[in-house]
Amino acid sequence: QVHIVESGGGLVQPGGSLRLSCETSGSFWRLNFMGWYRQAPGKQRDLVATIRHDGVTNYADSVKGRFTISRVKDKNISVLEMNNLEIEDSAVYYCNAVIRLGLHSAPADYWGQGTQVTVSS
């Protein structure tokens, strides 16, 4: 069984910063990717940033240069540092983990419960 717990989020003014963290726990063979997605009201869920098990990162164009994803060394914890936040960044942010439960298992997506980020003056 896999558990994903998110923390962080909240209300911030435009230009401000927030930090999200996500811990993945449970019994599995490999954690391929950790990442963050976001969903604004009436919109689809979109990728924000991902980090591969070897540290390779990927970002949505809209957040490049403002957001940084990292992984705590030797732990299944991802951190999303969000700087220079814009009103358009307001959304529910979801932690994602792509996991292989066993050596011969296909990768599967696991999701956190979501955390609200609101950017408003």
Side-chain angles (χ1 to χ4, degrees):
Q1 194 170 6
V2 175
H3 298 279
I4 296 180
V5 178
E6 301 150 338
S7 60
L11 174 64
V12 66
Q13 292 185 340
S17 299
L18 281 175
R19 183 177 187 266
L20 306 180
S21 64
C22 172
E23 181 170 10
T24 301
S25 62
S27 179
F28 49 84
W29 180 66
R30 184 178 221 176
L31 180 55
N32 283 4
F33 287 88
M34 297 188 75
W36 291 90
Y37 290 70
R38 66 188 181 187
Q39 187 168 19
K43 296 188 176 182
Q44 67 182 19
R45 188 175 297 187
D46 291 326
L47 178 145
V48 176
T50 62
I51 184 165
R52 204 166 64 183
H53 61 88
D54 58 0
V56 175
T57 58
N58 181 47
Y59 296 92
D61 288 342
S62 60
V63 307
K64 284 180 180 177
R66 300 188 298 122
F67 291 12
T68 302
I69 189 170
S70 61
R71 182 170 176 172
V72 177
K73 184 177 172 59
D74 298 328
K75 293 185 182 293
N76 293 327
I77 298 174
S78 69
V79 175
L80 184 68
E81 300 279 358
M82 304 184 292
N83 297 311
N84 194 20
L85 281 159
E86 303 170 352
I87 291 176
E88 292 76 20
D89 294 317
S90 297
V92 177
Y93 282 69
Y94 295 91
C95 177
N96 169 262
V98 179
I99 289 172
R100 292 176 64 182
L101 294 179
L103 176 62
H104 302 292
S105 301
D109 284 293
Y110 294 82
W111 296 92
Q113 77 282 2
T115 184
Q116 179 70 47
V117 171
T118 302
V119 184
S120 175
S121 56

